[in-house]
Amino acid sequence: MKENEKIVLDILDKPKPATWLTLSFQHLFAMFGATILVPFLVKMDPAVALISSGVGTLIFLLITKFQVPAYLGSSFAFIAPLISAQAGGGPGAAMVGSMLAGAVYAIVALIIKGTGHRWILRLLPPVVVGPVIIVIGLGLAGTAVGMATNNPAGEYSLLHFSAALITLAVTIICSIYFKGFFNLIPVLIGIFTGYLYALAIGIVDFSKVAQASWLQAPNFTIPFVDYQPQFSWQILLLMAPVALVTLSEHIGHQMVLSNVVGKDLVEKPGLHRSIMGDGLATFAAALIGGPPNTTYGENIGVLAITRVYSVYVLGGAAVLAITFGFIGKISALISSIPTPVMGGVSILLFGIIASSGLRMLVDSQIDLGDKRNLIISSVILVIGIGGAVIKIGQNFELHGMALAAIIGVVLNMVLPGREPDAENLFENETEKKSAVS
């Protein structure tokens, strides 16, 4: 590490109380916009998402022996599967699917502990993961545009679309022109500005804010209380392939984070521990009705800029998130954000997800002039975005992104000419990010 990159607080350093609170709020702001957006899209309680992200982060820190400074928030990759699961079996089915995704993480963690992690990188090389990530982003494009352009009745409204455009414009301006900490929270600034504009044009409903108590229990969805959990192969096949893709994202985050903090976190405390922590966090979120969790790149960016790596700071942010979830006025205020405002942010975020898949292909130097690479990526894109479906009987259904991911893995395994050095999946991307940090 260079002299001008001297660590301010190392992983186990404890800051002074006032500094601790300020630094923890900074991480809370960095994850806030994206974490509350997911429950908006899948019709969950944003307060529950905040609580589950905080609880999930504390679980992650505990499982990793307080050696991996990471914050976990709502995962965008599971939005489409959660919507599909809810449409087919209600909120209970979505939560069972999230539990199964967490179980996939746990199983993979146990296998990695015994065999090492290179096999999963061979199974999911950039030529498979990149196009699947593109499918995740573009598959949600229609949802984002519908949120941005429609009024509560589902009809086109230029007035509502203007709120989305203002939100989108401010978010873009903040991303491009703002520096330092404010460059890390363009989503939050965009939502705040869009909210003020929506307030000015009269499309904000404050009735729920006025009715809410200061201290209020969120709308938890508890198994055996609010629903009876039922296993379904359809739900498993809907969620498990997405879990495999987010696992590769998790590994990438751990490699980048290792470079930022100057320690090999993949070796110690071990990739199996961080994956297990991620999986148990997702399982715990499902037990209370929250969306699946994932490590957040936004918070890794905060670590890189501030050079404050203290797990106490991340833990403090988790406690703040849990606290906010139980403050009824704050939860109601979040829920009062008009759908077009969230739609404006979604246009950019979902596009960024798709573009990150393209970036993976470019950074990994995937040659689409090679017929093998071209075939794999083309089939994944069309099947995933086109919404292809395999139905067998009444209870078995595999479609969209999940089907595309499975077919991509199979094509990569059976087509000749597979690269032998697939274990370097995130090497180029890690080097690029670490140079920035």
Side-chain angles (χ1 to χ4, degrees), residues 32 36-37 39-40 44-52 195 204-220 320-338 342:
F32 197 89
I36 66 169
L37 178 57
F40 263 93
M44 293 179 178
D45 187 348
V48 176
L50 280 176
I51 293 170
S52 63
Y195 189 87
V204 178
D205 181 7
F206 278 118
S207 59
K208 292 183 179 179
V209 179
Q211 297 169 5
S213 304
W214 279 104
L215 292 178
Q216 182 173 306
N219 297 316
F220 293 120
L320 288 173
I322 295 170
T323 304
F324 274 29
F326 284 98
I327 299 177
K329 292 290 186 184
I330 291 180
S331 300
L333 190 64
I334 294 171
S335 299
S336 72
I337 300 173
M342 305 306 287

Side-chain angles (χ1 to χ4, degrees), residues 277-289:
D278 210 333
L280 292 180
T282 291
F283 194 91
L287 290 177
I288 61 174

Side-chain angles (χ1 to χ4, degrees), residues 235-317:
I235 295 176
L236 176 64
L237 292 172
L238 193 65
M239 303 292 279
V242 184
L244 288 176
V245 174
T246 54
L247 275 169
S248 65
E249 179 187 36
H250 174 96
I251 294 169
H253 280 171
Q254 293 307 300
M255 290 183 175
V256 174
L257 187 57
S258 296
N259 208 298
V260 168
V261 303
K263 295 179 174 65
D264 189 351
L265 303 177
V266 173
E267 293 296 327
K268 184 182 179 182
L271 190 61
H272 63 286
R273 283 190 172 275
S274 64
I275 290 177
M276 179 65 78
D278 210 333
L280 292 180
T282 291
F283 194 91
L287 290 177
I288 61 174
N293 285 321
T294 187
T295 50
Y296 259 28
E298 293 92 331
N299 295 88
I300 295 176
V302 173
L303 293 172
I305 286 180
T306 62
R307 300 190 297 281
V308 174
Y309 310 142
S310 172
V311 291
Y312 291 98
V313 171
L314 277 305

